[in-house]
Amino acid sequence: MDELEVGALLSDTAVTVFRLHGRFLEMSETLARPAGLTAAWWQVLGAVLREPLPAAGIARAMGMTRQGVQRVADLLVERGLAEYRPNPAHKRAKLLTPTAEGREAIAKINPGHRELAARLARELGVDGMHACLESLRRLNTAMEHITASWPRPETTAAAHRRPTP
C-alpha cells in the first residue's frame, strides 16, 4: 500500500470517527434532555458515579480538557446536581461527586440508554458490538502512543491567533 492510500485511509477513518462522534453527541443530547441534562453534563456526572474525582481526573477519563470539565462541574454544583468535597491528596483540586438529585437525573436516562443498546445489538449483533469496541480501543491506544511522542505546537498567545488573510 502506498503513501497516498495510507493517507486516504487516515482521512476516511478520521471523517468516520468525527461523524460517529457527532451521532453519539446527538443521541446523548436526546437521551439527556428529558432528565434536565446536556450530553456534557451527563458525561461529567457519569465519570464520578463510582468515585469522586478532580476535574483533571475527569478530563483524563473522558478525553476532555480540564478547563471544559471545570466549567461543566461548576454548573452542575450550581444546579445542585453535584458537589465539591475536599481532596486529601490536593488542597486546591476539589473532588466532584454527584448529589442525590444528580444520581436521579442519571437514572432517568437509563431506560433510553438501554433501548439504544438493545437497538444497536439488534443492528450489529453482540459479537459485532464487541468487535467495534475492540477496534475503537485499538485505534485509541495507537493514537495515544503516537500523540504522546508527537511534537506539541507552540502554546503562546500568538500561536492561538488566527492568521489574517
Side-chain angles (χ1 to χ4, degrees), residues 16-38:
T16 300
V17 169
F18 295 151
R19 290 177 70 200
L20 179 62
H21 180 254
R23 291 191 200 298
F24 268 108
L25 283 178
E26 180 182 0
M27 184 55 72
S28 296
E29 291 290 348
T30 299
L31 293 173
R33 192 172 299 116
L37 301 176
T38 67

Side-chain angles (χ1 to χ4, degrees), residues 29 41 52 110 130 149 153:
E29 291 290 348
W41 293 11
N110 288 339
H130 280 291
S149 63

Side-chain angles (χ1 to χ4, degrees), residues 21-149:
H21 180 254
R23 291 191 200 298
F24 268 108
L25 283 178
E26 180 182 0
M27 184 55 72
S28 296
E29 291 290 348
T30 299
L31 293 173
R33 192 172 299 116
L37 301 176
T38 67
W41 293 11
W42 179 15
Q43 188 175 17
V44 170
L45 273 176
V48 295
L49 286 177
R50 291 191 180 133
E51 66 174 331
L53 292 170
I58 297 166
R60 275 190 300 278
M62 293 293 161
M64 300 169 73
T65 66
R66 190 206 55 78
Q67 296 86 347
V69 169
Q70 191 65 61
R71 281 192 295 275
V72 170
D74 289 345
L75 286 169
L76 291 169
V77 169
E78 182 182 301
R79 287 169 171 74
L81 297 167
E83 63 187 9
Y84 289 117
R85 293 194 177 154
N87 183 349
H90 194 287
K91 287 183 184 179
R92 288 184 14 185
K94 303 259 187 265
L95 298 173
L96 185 73
T97 190
T99 60
E101 186 179 341
R103 288 184 183 281
E104 287 173 22
I106 294 293
K108 290 178 185 173
I109 296 171
N110 288 339
H113 185 268
R114 281 191 299 272
E115 174 61 21
L116 176 58
R119 289 178 72 173
L120 275 171
R122 285 193 299 273
E123 187 78 23
L124 297 170
V126 173
D127 288 343
M129 289 179 73
H130 280 291
C132 287
L133 177 58
E134 181 56 30
S135 293
L136 290 169
R137 283 180 173 160
R138 287 181 55 221
L139 178 59
N140 188 57
T141 298
M143 288 298 291
E144 283 176 353
H145 290 150
I146 292 166
T147 58
S149 63

